[in-house]
Amino acid sequence: MVHSQIISALPSSFEKARTAGDLLFFPSEVHEHEDCGVKFEIRLCPALLHKPNIPTPHFDAASIEAAAATKKPDPFAPPYNSTLYVSEFKDEDEGIEYAILLNKYSVVPNHFLMVTKDYQSQASPLVPSDLKHAYSILLAARKAGQHFFAFYNCGDQSGASQSHKHLQFIPVEEEDGPPLERVARAAHIESEYKPFALPSLPFANHVRRLSISPSASADELEHKLASAFMELLDLCISTVRLAEDHPAGMPSYNVVLTLQHLYVLPRRWETHVLSATGDKLSINALGFAGMLLVKSHEELEAVRLEGPAAILRAVGCQSVHELQVNDGPAVDDSV
Ligand code: AMP
């Protein structure tokens, strides 16, 4: 119930926040570019040239303490801006409280966040309750005839700009989700119960098909999502260990969740320097979902020239699928 109320409240909350000037909406246009079998959507948003750049936070305990000492405001801590606030709820089993907030700087209407009310680190993995509620929101949207997907940027190099735990939700026009989802849906896999990888992509990607009935109980939902996530996280850690090009330190990764698939994409770096312009392009989970954001025509052309898949390879990890199949945890490589 609470999840469907979030979906139904979105359009009016978005308009209200925008009219009040609390939500800044940046118009954009989408350019398609096909690469490695993915129809990438490169969103050109010149207005972002004027948006202040939020420096990437560091998620280690010392940096968080230092930020707290300088009283750097945490935008996801209560009290919330009343027009950006949509609702809140509590997971009764885990006792975790969440707030739903509209994204203050929106490029896509109705982009919203699910934040923990108590501070939790964005470097911490998703917990079963996070996954269950995120999935329930996606289900509620589908019941209302809308299509959203969720994403999570975890760790220093993941493209996250806030250190307080937040999952994000973006609407998509098509039922088959973001560009990456179309590739995963087309993949023929041997078993629905094991992780797989999309071999046409030049970077490490770990995917699990979710065979979840829309009438699944909350417990079943939580169990299936949590075990799928743990399997993918194990593979992500194994990739980071085996990939020769992964830097030392805490692994960062992106998570993408649709009604049919859960993806974990290990990261090496947050940004890529475009060779044609020298501009730094910050990439988060949206990039790996197949949706890149650029601020100028020059950047757009530079991304086309270099190729989105190569850019993702540069900030992602080498695929060590073969090594994992031979030496590491069991993986289904039947795609
Ligand atoms: P990320 O950059 O992926 O960590 O996502 C954080 C999101 O929070 C960004 O898309 C920002 O636009 C958004 N954001 C930043 N400050 C606020 C705020 N005060 N209220 C709501 N959203 C915010």
Side-chain angles (χ1 to χ4, degrees):
M1 189 59 180
V2 82
H3 305 109
S4 54
Q5 280 164 356
I6 294 167
I7 297 297
S8 56
L10 282 175
S12 57
S13 301
F14 178 83
E15 281 317 321
K16 216 168 124 194
R18 192 176 163 184
T19 311
D22 291 328
L23 186 154
L24 306 179
F25 180 70
F26 303 104
S28 60
E29 59 186 41
V30 173
H31 297 255
E32 267 197 5
H33 182 92
E34 189 155 351
D35 193 11
C36 293
V38 182
K39 277 197 179 133
F40 283 94
E41 292 172 10
I42 312 174
R43 193 174 280 276
L44 170 62
C45 183
L48 285 183
L49 280 172
H50 312 295
K51 180 189 162 207
N53 247 344
I54 303 168
T56 308
H58 289 283
F59 301 120
D60 56 284
S63 306
I64 290 166
E65 259 174 41
T70 56
K71 301 228 181 316
K72 189 173 168 265
D74 171 1
F76 303 151
Y80 303 113
N81 173 307
S82 63
T83 58
L84 295 177
Y85 171 90
V86 179
S87 70
E88 63 186 61
F89 56 91
K90 183 174 182 177
D91 181 88
E92 294 302 337
D93 297 329
E94 303 290 333
I96 304 175
E97 290 182 278
Y98 299 94
I100 301 291
L101 307 176
L102 291 166
N103 189 325
K104 185 176 172 66
Y105 307 101
S106 284
V107 176
V108 177
N110 300 335
H111 178 172
F112 67 94
L113 315 163
M114 181 177 111
V115 308
T116 54
K117 281 189 78 178
D118 287 336
Y119 181 85
Q120 284 182 31
S121 166
Q122 187 73 4
S124 60
L126 294 172
V127 297
S129 149
D130 300 339
L131 288 158
K132 178 180 66 184
H133 292 292
Y135 195 88
S136 301
I137 290 172
L138 302 184
L139 264 181
R142 188 176 67 182
K143 282 188 190 142
Q146 296 173 45
H147 310 291
F148 279 79
F149 72 95
F151 60 98
Y152 183 61
N153 303 316
C154 188
D156 268 355
Q157 302 298 332
S158 67
S161 64
Q162 299 294 337
S163 70
H164 183 138
K165 193 177 208 184
H166 56 285
L167 283 88
Q168 305 186 54
F169 296 78
I170 287 261
V172 277
E173 276 171 27
E174 305 296 330
E175 187 263 335
D176 56 1
L180 180 66
E181 174 72 359
R182 290 169 218 155
V183 183
R185 285 195 186 190
H188 295 289
I189 56 171
E190 210 171 68
S191 162
E192 300 244 318
Y193 305 102
K194 285 182 182 174
F196 61 99
L198 299 167
S200 58
L201 304 178
F203 46 83
N205 62 91
H206 302 297
V207 194
R208 184 72 153 67
R209 193 158 286 172
L210 303 169
S211 308
I212 296 176
S213 149
S215 57
S217 69
D219 282 351
E220 196 181 338
L221 191 61
E222 185 168 296
H223 174 74
K224 284 199 167 175
L225 289 165
S227 54
F229 183 62
M230 289 311 290
E231 288 168 18
L232 297 175
L233 209 51
D234 276 354
L235 282 168
C236 173
I237 302 298
S238 140
T239 291
V240 163
R241 280 215 191 103
L242 295 167
E244 284 168 6
D245 61 0
H246 192 273
M250 270 260 284
S252 295
Y253 56 90
N254 295 122
V255 180
V256 175
L257 175 68
T258 70
L259 284 174
Q260 289 201 3
H261 293 98
L262 180 62
Y263 308 74
V264 171
L265 304 129
R267 296 291 300 270
R268 291 196 303 150
W269 308 117
E270 185 215 335
T271 56
H272 175 69
V273 179
L274 292 167
S275 38
T277 61
D279 290 335
K280 261 191 187 174
L281 198 66
S282 174
I283 311 270
N284 68 16
L286 281 182
F288 281 86
M291 300 161 83
L292 292 148
L293 190 62
V294 294
K295 300 192 193 95
S296 65
H297 282 278
E298 291 71 31
E299 274 189 11
L300 172 65
E301 283 321 307
V303 169
R304 283 186 192 280
L305 192 69
E306 233 168 298
I311 293 172
L312 296 177
R313 167 65 191 92
V315 296
C317 283
Q318 169 196 357
S319 173
V320 290
H321 198 59
E322 296 304 317
L323 274 175
Q324 284 174 332
V325 170
N326 296 329
D327 305 325
V331 174
D332 183 348
D333 66 339
S334 57
V335 195

